[in-house]
Amino acid sequence: MTAPLLEVDGIDVFYGDVQVLHGLGFVVREGEIVTLLGSNGAGKTTTLRAIAGLRPPRRGDIRFRGASLAAVPAAARSGLGIALVPEGRELWGQLTVKENLELGAYGRRARAVAARNLERVLALFPRLAERSRQLAGSLSGGEQQMCAIARALMSEPALLMLDEPSLGLAPVIVDQVMGVIAELHRGGVTVLLVEQNLRKALEIADRGTVIETGQVRLEGTAAELSANPRIRETYLGL
Ligand code: ATP
């Protein structure tokens, strides 16, 4: 087994007085694709936000390469190699594709290699290369998702977190997005994926963690979860 890249260790996360995550913990090892499963409101987005530093835990700890992130502000986490592609993409619609990508290169290290990374990322997404001077707001849904992923790659992440990347996309485009995630993974990026399309997520994932009401209910390999009668009934509708 490879070393843990990310350790989420018994975290409690609140919105005001409302506790949303209750001692939640799981591990993502170097080189894995791990998917977080669970119904709406289970706490998946909140988990990603906690890891990104946008909603820090009140109790428990999150470690990256063995070191606690407790004192690391959100803006500094991308410099460590943690990137989040948020739900809804959050592109700057009035800026061009190229400008959006350039804004993904935050941190001194990423800025220093921004030109090289821009070339690399545009080579990965030829469609974006063709449209690099177009406003991001004028792209199709699938192209916007690719742009959001490409922007996250500008910081050369070791851990790429994606929140519902297939949301609102046509099935053929969903396959393309999943294909890109699998390809990035083959290139050495570790992936933490939140996806409502469980079937697709389990096709590319190594392991899955099921979250219910802010706690881990079940963990297993993608094969184990796909064969689990409860998962099949509750989440796959079989
Ligand atoms: P979804 O698939 O709907 O995004 P999720 O599993 O990602 O679901 P979260 O978005 O993490 O769930 O939400 C977990 C709980 O926290 C829900 O009950 C939600 O209503 C609540 N919540 C989320 N964001 C906020 C907020 N900004 N303020 C208050 N409560 C929130």
Side-chain angles (χ1 to χ4, degrees), residues 12-148:
D12 287 355
V13 175
F14 292 73
Y15 290 102
D17 291 337
V18 180
Q19 185 168 0
V20 170
L21 301 184
H22 303 262
L24 182 101
F26 64 94
V27 165
V28 180
R29 296 183 183 281
E30 194 104 41
E32 282 188 313
I33 298 186
V34 172
T35 181
L36 296 182
L37 316 176
S39 45
N40 285 348
K44 306 176 302 292
T45 296
T46 304
T47 303
L48 298 189
R49 290 174 59 81
I51 297 164
L54 301 168
R55 181 62 52 179
R58 263 193 223 170
R59 274 187 292 276
D61 197 16
I62 301 173
R63 290 183 291 278
F64 189 68
R65 299 193 203 283
S68 173
L69 294 176
V72 182
R77 294 191 190 189
S78 72
L80 292 180
I82 299 172
L84 171 64
V85 181
E87 188 176 349
R89 294 134 206 174
E90 297 183 12
L91 295 172
W92 289 276
Q94 295 305 313
L95 299 183
T96 66
V97 168
K98 182 165 174 275
E99 287 164 341
N100 269 278
L101 296 180
E102 284 166 347
L103 284 167
Y106 19 68
R108 214 171 338 140
R109 184 177 57 87
R111 271 197 302 276
V113 291
R116 194 194 70 204
N117 272 342
L118 186 65
E119 236 171 78
R120 187 177 61 95
V121 162
L122 290 178
L124 259 170
F125 299 96
R127 189 98 184 152
L128 293 181
E130 284 165 24
R131 283 155 201 258
S132 66
R133 288 174 198 288
Q134 218 170 293
L135 296 185
S138 72
L139 300 176
S140 72
E143 289 163 353
Q144 288 192 16
Q145 187 60 59
M146 298 297 186
C147 189

